[in-house]
Amino acid sequence: MNAGDTAWVLVSAALVMLMTPGLAFFYGGMVRAKSVLNMMMMSFIALAVVTVLWVLYGYSLAFGDDLGGGLLGGFDFAGLKGVVSTVVGTAPTDPNAPWVDGHQIPHLVFVVFQLMFAVITAALISGAIADRARFWAWTLFIAVWVTIVYFPVAHWVFDFNGFTGVDFVGGWIATKLGALDFAGGTAVHINAGAAGLALAIVLGKRKGWPREPMRPHNLPFVLLGAGLLWFGWYGFNAGSALGASDLAGVAFVTTSAATAAAVLGWLLVEQFRDGKPTTLGAASGAVAGLVAVTPAAGFVSPLGALLIGLVAGVLCALAVSLKYRFGFDDSLDVVGVHLVGGLVGTLMIGLLATTGVNPAGKDGLLYGGGLDLLGKQAIAAVAVLGYSFVLTLGIGFLIQKTIGFRVATDAERAGIDEAEHAESGYEFSSLRGGGSSLSRTADVLASKVPTTAGKEG
């Protein structure tokens, strides 16, 4: 084992964990004031639910020995048995893996790193159904969804032959198809985006949408959240090198380049379309660039990353308006940013990937690799999109028809925070009227000031 590699992956896991609170601020600032607590809790609860399931069986289903067809791992690591005091990466590296031999880190370190990916993926979906989902129904949805959607897809994409066990067989996208996904463009972003679209269809439109303005109530929260996401994403992408290596440096630089280009691309669209660049646009552009570069971070050059980011910024800025054309209420643009951005990054690998950056990768069309890689990328993207959308649609309808997924109309109009949590994000009652408690407090304090105060001279 290499102490530097181990330390970097541990730090990266902590950075990715920070992305979920960052997402809570990002989403929380984008909703109306009466929904901010519920929105933030939808991200926060993912940390609790997914962690428990990951320890019990989730990691095993994702990274256990394949049960057949590259579709699902077995129960080799249920309860994390056999994980303590062992290492991963002892077998020769799968030729389809995005790294070369030598990445041996403690197994538990790899477990916790991958856990944070599972958490953030579930939390991302919540933005599509802001303002109208019951808290416990959402909590149940997370548990069911990660079990039958995320854990299998993580096995497909992230589990390589022999990595977690010498004779273990991995997932079909990683080992048989040979598509490239460095840090989760398919398993995280296309997966979450397709699920968000399905849930938006199941729960229907918010009351008053799109007639009533539903503007973000706290843009500083949005910018804070975007900044935390950008910061944490370095662990997401550069940490996926699984070592303190040149490849980690490549992923760090490409992540920076793509994100910066996407911010500019989104703002340019706003300038030409709307006449003004917005802070919400800057934050959304940054996230779009981060999404798009995720699958490509370890396979493209810095110049390639700039192009991916620019294309993602422009296309995602245009895609967020699709919900108005097709009539689905994707409240916080999970589809427009994560699904579209994930597709952009996944497919552009087929054009811009180069072994000059990563010898363990492949060459895309523009580097003499032909159309083969592009075809594989498209198959992986469509497979994950279709699987996630169909199963999420079924889970959502099942919950809606049994315990009910959507809050009552009165609760939605009055404020979901009060209805679901008996709390409000902002307490304004003490500031109301001339007889407010604030005024009374001022009167009490004034009465205690000595009459000679200020007359000492």
Side-chain angles (χ1 to χ4, degrees):
M1 289 186 295
N2 182 289
D5 291 346
T6 301
W8 171 238
V9 178
L10 277 172
V11 169
S12 295
L15 288 171
V16 181
M17 180 272 169
L18 184 64
M19 290 173 65
T20 298
L23 182 71
F25 277 107
F26 184 70
Y27 280 172
M30 291 173 70
V31 298
R32 292 168 289 179
K34 62 184 180 180
S35 306
V36 59
L37 293 182
N38 180 260
M39 191 71 257
M40 298 181 81
M41 277 289 286
M42 290 175 80
S43 291
F44 201 81
I45 195 63
L47 278 165
V49 174
V50 178
T51 298
V52 171
L53 298 184
W54 191 250
V55 171
L56 292 176
Y57 59 83
Y59 177 75
S60 191
L61 295 183
F63 291 96
D65 192 16
D66 185 63
L67 293 176
L71 298 176
L72 187 67
F75 288 92
D76 311 87
F77 302 126
L80 299 186
K81 66 180 180 181
V83 169
V84 180
S85 301
T86 62
V87 298
V88 293
T90 55
T93 299
D94 186 307
N96 289 308
W99 53 78
V100 295
D101 285 325
H103 288 288
Q104 297 182 25
I105 58 175
H107 203 151
L108 273 177
V109 174
F110 183 70
V111 168
V112 75
F113 180 65
Q114 286 293 335
L115 162 63
M116 301 310 168
F117 283 64
V119 170
I120 190 71
T121 306
L124 287 171
I125 303 168
S126 65
I129 54 172
D131 294 338
R132 59 199 189 276
R134 295 175 58 212
F135 177 73
W136 286 116
W138 166 251
T139 304
L140 175 62
F141 169 80
I142 291 175
V144 177
W145 187 84
V146 294
T147 299
I148 69 174
V149 179
Y150 182 81
F151 297 156
V153 171
H155 179 70
W156 300 358
V157 176
F158 292 142
D159 193 16
F160 293 92
N161 290 338
F163 189 73
T164 57
V166 174
D167 298 318
F168 282 13
V169 176
W172 72 273
I173 289 178
T175 63
K176 296 180 180 180
L177 179 63
L180 300 180
D181 189 344
F182 191 72
T186 52
V188 176
H189 298 295
I190 292 176
N191 197 1
L197 176 60
L199 280 193
I201 293 171
V202 171
L203 269 70
K205 305 172 185 178
R206 288 167 289 178
K207 298 301 178 184
W209 186 89
R211 298 184 310 276
E212 299 175 9
M214 298 182 180
R215 298 186 180 91
H217 88 283
N218 194 324
L219 286 172
F221 266 21
V222 176
L223 287 174
L224 172 62
L228 290 172
L229 285 168
W230 193 335
F231 178 68
W233 225 291
Y234 289 120
F236 202 90
N237 288 356
S240 292
L242 296 183
S245 61
D246 178 65
L247 184 57
V250 168
F252 206 112
V253 172
T254 54
T255 298
S256 300
T259 308
V263 171
L264 296 176
W266 192 298
L267 292 180
L268 286 173
V269 170
E270 287 190 330
Q271 182 64 47
F272 285 110
R273 182 186 61 196
D274 308 321
K276 299 286 184 182
T278 68
T279 51
L280 179 61
S284 300
V287 174
L290 290 163
V291 168
V293 77
T294 292
F299 300 120
V300 301
S301 68
L303 288 179
L306 285 175
L307 183 58
I308 288 174
L310 183 63
V311 171
V314 170
L315 292 184
C316 290
L318 297 173
V320 295
S321 63
L322 292 177
K323 61 186 179 183
Y324 300 103
R325 176 172 296 181
F326 294 104
F328 61 91
D329 185 8
D330 172 24
S331 309
L332 308 183
D333 299 319
V334 177
V335 176
V337 173
H338 293 276
L339 179 56
V340 173
L343 288 170
V344 168
T346 298
L347 295 177
M348 289 189 72
I349 291 173
L351 303 176
L352 299 171
T354 170
T355 53
V357 167
N358 184 354
K362 298 178 177 72
D363 286 319
L365 178 63
L366 299 183
Y367 287 86
L371 292 171
D372 181 64
L373 179 59
L374 182 59
K376 292 177 178 180
Q377 297 301 116
I379 291 171
V382 171
V384 172
L385 193 162
Y387 179 81
S388 180
F389 179 79
V390 172
L391 265 69
T392 304
L393 206 62
I395 298 168
F397 274 123
L398 184 62
I399 293 176
Q400 177 72 352
K401 296 299 182 182
T402 52
I403 66 172
F405 209 144
R406 183 165 181 156
V407 297
T409 300
D410 290 344
E412 183 178 343
R413 291 196 180 279
I416 194 171
D417 286 351
E418 291 283 358
E420 290 294 303
H421 307 288
E423 298 174 304
S424 61
Y426 308 96
E427 183 55 65
F428 297 113
S429 60
S430 63
L431 300 178
R432 293 175 184 154
S436 69
S437 61
L438 184 62
S439 299
R440 291 193 297 272
T441 300
D443 292 340
V444 170
L445 291 174
S447 68
K448 294 181 179 181
V449 178
T451 56
T452 56
K455 302 179 180 178
E456 291 83 352

